[in-house]
Structure formats: structure tokens, C-alpha cells
Amino acid sequence: MLDTLTFGFLGGGNMASALIGGLIARGVPAGSIRVVDPFPEAQQRLARDLGVHAAGAPDAAFGASDVLVLAVKPQQFREAAAQLLPHLPAGDGNLVISVAAGIRLQDMQRWLGGRNRVVRAMPNTPALAGMGMTGLAAPAGLSDKDRDIASAVAQAVGKCVWVENDAQIDAVTAISGSGPAYVFYFIEAMQRAATELGLSADQGRELAVETFRGAATLAGQSAEPVSTLRERVTSKGGTTYAALTAMDAGGIADAFVRAMHAAAARGKEMGAEFGKD
Ligand SMILES: NC(=O)c1ccc[n+]([C@@H]2O[C@H](COP(=O)([O-])OP(=O)(O)OC[C@H]3O[C@@H](n4cnc5c(N)ncnc54)[C@H](OP(=O)(O)O)[C@@H]3O)[C@@H](O)[C@H]2O)c1
């Protein structure tokens, strides 16, 4: 469905490059993709590596793309939207998807002249490896066709889930948006334990990374509750039991849940900060 559409990416950094690579791999012709990035080095890299049309500022052709993806840093968003606005077709001529963390739908709509065809996407860094998890939210009334387009764009770099409203994106941010850092944090801790237990750092890294990959794959393939999978490998009095008892004694699960509440609260605060006049 995407290969007949034209795309305009505002911002040509990591996330834009990952999405463009994913779209091209799914059959979107590079010639249907325009990128705007103020830096000549970024423009040269995008044109050379991905074969897309790259420019330093939006123009009418860019603004008329069927799908516009806003992929600038949140603090650059408002200014980038102001630069784009004069080049947008009147009314709701095209679909605008933002991947900027913390920018609320209502602010995005306001800064883009009151548009209704907007989607807020919250991807995560595994998108750079084609294994992203993206949360999507849209104003009530967005058409099924636009929802399908936004899903297909997110699926070019992994999987996606729709949430009911903009506020729930703060929860998505707390779980999967910031989530890769939690996994890295636990991998680091496993690596540390490995070296304390006499293994090399490289061995510890491989053991930990493959354990996360394997357990996540198993959980993803299984229809059983994750707690059942955990209980199945936790025989009373055994090694896993000893480890999980130590974790419970340390309040790890509760602290981890609190950490995600803190992330969601910070996401909400950031939305209010970025959206303030
Ligand atoms: N990377 C991730 O995994 C990830 C995950 C979730 C959400 N996101 C969101 O995705 C967005 C992009 O992240 P990123 O990691 O791709 O950032 P990035 O690599 O810094 O890319 C942003 C690009 O936009 C350019 N830019 C700045 N102002 C612009 C303007 N007015 N018009 C056009 N381009 C402009 C930047 O140039 P300069 O560098 O010169 O300023 C930069 O090349 C962010 O809002 C972030 O919150 C990213």
C-alpha cells in the first residue's frame, strides 16, 4: 500500500534514516522520498546512502508529499513545524506523522495550522535494527486508511500498537520508548555479575544478550502468561528460586514498576513544557 505514496521526512537523523531504509526495503521507491535536513553533510549522506532527494529547507513539493514524517528532536519541533507550515497544502491534504518524543497531538495540530490528519508515534531505538516497537495515537475521527498508512510506516521498522489517546503515549514512552535502556541496564548488571563470578566481560555480555533475546522470543511465541513461563523454570529450592527470592527481598519488581511511573510522569511534564506558549 505504501509504494504508491510520496513521503517527506523533516529531519534526516537516526530515526528518519531507519524509517526511510525500512520503507525502501518494503518497496517504496527512493525517488518517492524527500528529506529535509539543514546540514549539508546529512543531505549528502542521505542522497548517497539511500538515494532519496535531500534538501536544506522545505518547499511546496516537499509540503505536498502524501505522508509527512516529522523526525526532528522535540526541542526543534516547533521551529521545524513553523518552517513547514507555509508549504503545507490547505486543509487536510496530507497525513502528518510525528515521531518526536513528548510532543502532544494537540500542540502538533496547533503548530500545523489546526490539521486533523495527524498521528503521534512513539518508536524506540531497536527500530534502528528493524525491531522497533512503536505506540501510535491519533485524534478521534482519523480515517481507517490513514491509520493503515501510519501502521505500515511504523511496521517498516518493527511492530506497532495503537493506543486510545495521546495521554496513553506517556505510558508507551515509559514501557517501550524508554524500555531499551532498562534492558541495557539489566544486561550491564548481568555482565557485572558474570565478571564477579569469574567469567570474562565478553562472555558475560554474550550470555546476557542471548538470554534476553531467547527469553523475549520465547515469551513472544507463547500464548501462556509470562508468570507461567517464569514459574516453569523456578523449581523450589533451586538456583533460579534463590535468585528470584533475592530479587524479591531487594524489592526489585516494585522499584522497577515505580521507575516506569516516574518515566510516565516525566513524559507528561515534558509534553506540558514543550507545548507551553
Ligand atoms: N532515535 C530513537 O531511537 C528515537 C526513539 C523514539 C523517538 N525518537 C524521536 O525521533 C526524533 C528524531 O530522533 P533522532 O534520534 O533521529 O534525532 P537526530 O538524529 O538528532 O535527528 C534529527 C535531525 O533533524 C535535523 N533538524 C533539526 N532542525 C531541523 C529543521 N528545522 N528542519 C529539518 N531538520 C531539522 C537535525 O539536525 P541537527 O542535528 O543539526 O540539529 C537532525 O539531523 C526525536 O524527536 C526523538 O524524540 C527517536
Side-chain angles (χ1 to χ4, degrees), residues 10-16 36-39 42 45 56 58 70-74 76 79-80 83 99-101 121-128 177:
L10 194 63
N14 294 315
M15 191 48 73
V36 163
D37 194 289
F39 283 83
R45 175 180 53 76
L70 273 50
V72 299
K73 292 275 185 213
Q76 302 164 329
E79 195 191 324
Q83 287 166 0
V99 299
M122 182 63 213
N124 65 7
T125 45
L128 308 181

Side-chain angles (χ1 to χ4, degrees), residues 122-124 127 130-136 151 154-161 220:
M122 182 63 213
N124 65 7
M131 294 186 70
M133 186 66 223
T134 300
L136 297 165
S151 297
Q155 284 162 356
V157 290
K159 297 190 173 179
C160 66
V161 60

Side-chain angles (χ1 to χ4, degrees), residues 155-169:
Q155 284 162 356
V157 290
K159 297 190 173 179
C160 66
V161 60
W162 281 91
V163 294
E164 274 173 30
N165 54 50
D166 195 53
Q168 288 186 345
I169 290 283

Side-chain angles (χ1 to χ4, degrees), residues 128-253:
L128 308 181
M131 294 186 70
M133 186 66 223
T134 300
L136 297 165
L142 189 79
S143 70
D144 288 345
K145 187 172 175 227
D146 280 346
R147 282 176 177 264
D148 289 347
I149 292 171
S151 297
V153 169
Q155 284 162 356
V157 290
K159 297 190 173 179
C160 66
V161 60
W162 281 91
V163 294
E164 274 173 30
N165 54 50
D166 195 53
Q168 288 186 345
I169 290 283
D170 292 329
V172 171
T173 306
I175 308 297
S176 56
S178 301
Y182 316 152
V183 175
F184 301 144
Y185 182 88
F186 280 109
I187 289 174
E188 283 178 78
M190 285 167 87
Q191 248 186 306
R192 194 175 110 202
T195 54
E196 287 175 8
L197 292 166
L199 301 174
S200 71
D202 283 350
Q203 287 172 322
R205 178 176 175 146
E206 191 173 4
L207 290 169
V209 168
E210 292 310 319
T211 300
F212 266 93
R213 196 199 312 274
T217 303
L218 203 58
Q221 286 174 355
S222 173
E224 290 178 299
V226 176
S227 57
T228 305
L229 301 178
R230 173 177 52 74
E231 281 156 13
R232 200 168 286 148
V233 291
T234 315
S235 17
K236 194 139 195 194
T239 56
T240 312
Y241 182 81
L244 292 180
T245 303
M247 285 199 211
D248 281 348
I252 304 290

